[in-house]
Amino acid sequence: MRSTTLLALLALVLLYLVLGALVFRALEQPLEQQAQRELGEVREKFLRTHPCVSDGDLGLLIKEVADALGGGANPDINATSHSNYSAWDLSGAFFFSGTIITTIGYGNAALRSDAGRIFSIIYALVGIPLFGILLAGVGDRLGSALRHGIGHIEAIFLKWHVPKELVRILSALLFLVIGCLLFVVTPMFVFCYMEGWSKLEAIYFVVVTLTTVGFGDYVAGANPNQTHAAYQPLVWFWILLGLAYFASVLTTIGNWLRVVFRRTRAEMGGFTAQAASWTGTVTARVTQRGGSVAPPPPEKERPLSPPPPCTAPREKASPPSPPSPPTASAPSASALDYPSENLAFIDESSDTQSERGCVVPRAPRGRRRAPHPARKPARPRGPGRLRDKDVPV
């Protein structure tokens, strides 16, 4: 990737981040201030109702409750009800391990011991690459199965003589629709039934989970009333298949954007070349019509001046005419744009003059040119004046 493209992409991402920050601040900051005011009002009401409790003791209690909630405690559980409930049973621990290797990390349950934190570091370093390999394999098989099923539908469309471009668009839409039905819509209704969430809360949890954002405000199986032991492991297997599907979709979108970028770049290069060619042609035509003298060529590309005309002994020698200034019929500026054509013009003129028996002018620098051996007079190829026998060769 070019540095200019990288800088443009970085600027676009930063602009996108600033836009998100402005929108989230406008939407969430008023609610945060309202919640803070409500907490202050509840605290003052509690102190008025219980004058025996000091403000400092209540502040310590609130702090301890907040720390306990951050450690995974549930305020709905007390010593009498749900005595057998634990967020670290085998089902919950399996789900927590799955959130580590999938890099979701909801945050509703946190590690409190130093040994657990050290083990989580090692566990993540080994488990994340392992899960990435598994995800690639599952995504490949899942994408192949979906494409195989869609291929039968494409064959039906082709039998109906539907254009191929339209069939490709329909197959891509079917791939998206089938995947969304399997991994987004169906789990949404399941979570609505199992967790008691609304449809908006359920679709919010699905998208946040399958994009590995994992805020942790909604977590499947975190409700103490959920008693099914296999519920959270089944949720993890849904996460595996959903991540594989989303990975294949994002890969497809990335490949499509890459192809579009390459085509756009090639078309822009073609337009630039056409514009440059058109500009050169227009400049050459304007120069020829205006009769302006082209700038002299460089030293290496300047053609040799033609030798003086050969004089025959029978005719009277005429004084050499002064060199005529270059006219528009001479090699124009377009010939300078192609050095190979200029050199071909030089070689052709020198060969023609040597065949006519004229003296080749001496090179301006370098060693002298060896004299040409005597040649037999060449037969004229076309109609023209026969060469004089008295002309020395």
Side-chain angles (χ1 to χ4, degrees):
M1 185 180 292
R2 294 181 179 179
S3 57
T4 53
T5 307
L6 184 61
L7 291 176
L9 186 60
L10 177 61
L12 180 62
V13 171
L14 292 178
L15 182 62
Y16 192 74
L17 290 175
V18 172
L19 176 63
L22 294 175
V23 172
F24 287 131
R25 186 184 68 172
L27 294 176
E28 299 297 329
Q29 194 174 25
L31 298 178
E32 179 193 10
Q33 295 173 355
Q34 181 181 357
Q36 193 69 30
R37 287 193 301 267
E38 291 177 356
L39 179 61
E41 293 174 359
V42 170
R43 182 173 180 173
E44 292 177 359
K45 182 179 179 181
F46 182 84
L47 291 175
R48 286 195 304 266
T49 307
H50 304 84
C52 60
V53 180
S54 64
D55 191 8
D57 294 339
L58 181 59
L60 290 176
L61 177 62
I62 293 175
K63 184 178 180 182
E64 289 178 1
V65 170
D67 292 340
L69 291 177
N74 197 321
D76 298 332
I77 299 174
N78 51 37
T80 57
S81 63
H82 303 94
S83 58
N84 295 326
Y85 174 80
S86 174
W88 292 104
D89 57 0
L90 184 59
S91 176
F94 179 86
F95 187 75
F96 178 80
S97 301
T99 59
I100 291 178
I101 65 175
T102 56
T103 67
I104 295 177
Y106 288 111
N108 63 317
L111 298 170
R112 308 288 289 180
S113 63
D114 294 338
R117 292 167 181 170
I118 294 173
F119 177 74
S120 67
I121 294 173
I122 302 173
Y123 190 78
L125 292 177
V126 177
I128 291 174
L130 186 63
F131 180 77
I133 298 173
L134 175 64
L135 187 65
V138 173
D140 189 14
R141 290 298 181 91
L142 184 63
S144 300
L146 289 176
R147 291 190 206 97
H148 183 70
I150 294 173
H152 295 289
I153 303 176
E154 290 181 353
I156 295 174
F157 284 141
L158 291 176
K159 286 182 181 179
W160 293 346
H161 303 287
V162 179
K164 292 183 178 180
E165 293 78 8
L166 183 59
V167 171
R168 291 176 182 176
I169 296 174
L170 291 176
S171 62
L173 292 177
L174 283 175
F175 182 77
L176 293 175
V177 169
I178 293 174
C180 289
L181 287 175
L182 290 176
F183 304 111
V184 176
V185 178
T186 303
M188 178 189 69
F189 288 104
V190 173
F191 291 135
C192 288
Y193 175 77
M194 297 295 294
E195 300 290 339
W197 295 338
S198 64
K199 292 183 175 60
L200 177 60
E201 292 172 342
I203 196 68
Y204 168 76
F205 169 74
V206 168
V207 175
V208 166
T209 298
L210 295 184
T211 54
T212 69
V213 176
F215 290 119
D217 48 353
Y218 291 91
V219 179
N223 190 357
N225 297 323
Q226 187 59 249
T227 58
H228 298 282
Y231 177 64
Q232 283 189 320
L234 289 177
V235 171
W236 185 85
F237 280 104
W238 161 74
I239 290 174
L240 172 63
L241 296 176
L243 287 178
Y245 170 73
F246 266 67
S248 63
V249 170
L250 293 177
T251 303
T252 304
I253 293 175
N255 294 334
W256 178 73
L257 290 177
R258 192 178 296 110
V259 170
V260 170
F261 177 74
R262 288 179 180 176
R263 288 182 179 178
T264 306
R265 188 174 176 183
E267 290 176 358
M268 290 301 296
F271 291 154
T272 305
Q274 291 179 3
S277 176
W278 180 80
T279 305
T281 305
V282 170
T283 305
R285 289 180 179 178
V286 169
T287 305
Q288 290 179 359
R289 290 178 181 178
S292 60
V293 180
E299 186 68 24
K300 294 182 180 180
E301 296 183 0
R302 184 177 298 173
L304 299 176
S305 58
C310 302
T311 56
R314 293 183 181 179
E315 296 177 1
K316 200 171 184 179
S318 59
S321 59
S324 58
T327 59
S329 61
S332 60
S334 61
L336 298 178
D337 297 336
Y338 304 94
S340 58
E341 294 183 3
N342 224 354
L343 296 176
F345 173 77
I346 295 171
D347 294 340
E348 184 181 357
S349 61
S350 60
D351 293 343
T352 306
Q353 296 298 336
S354 60
E355 286 183 0
R356 292 181 181 177
C358 300
V359 180
V360 180
R362 186 175 297 178
R365 54 182 177 180
R367 54 185 180 179
R368 297 181 178 179
R369 186 176 299 180
H372 293 282
R375 296 182 183 179
K376 295 181 180 180
R379 296 179 181 178
R381 295 183 181 179
R385 184 177 59 84
L386 293 177
R387 183 179 296 177
D388 248 8
K389 295 183 180 180
D390 297 335
V391 178
V393 180

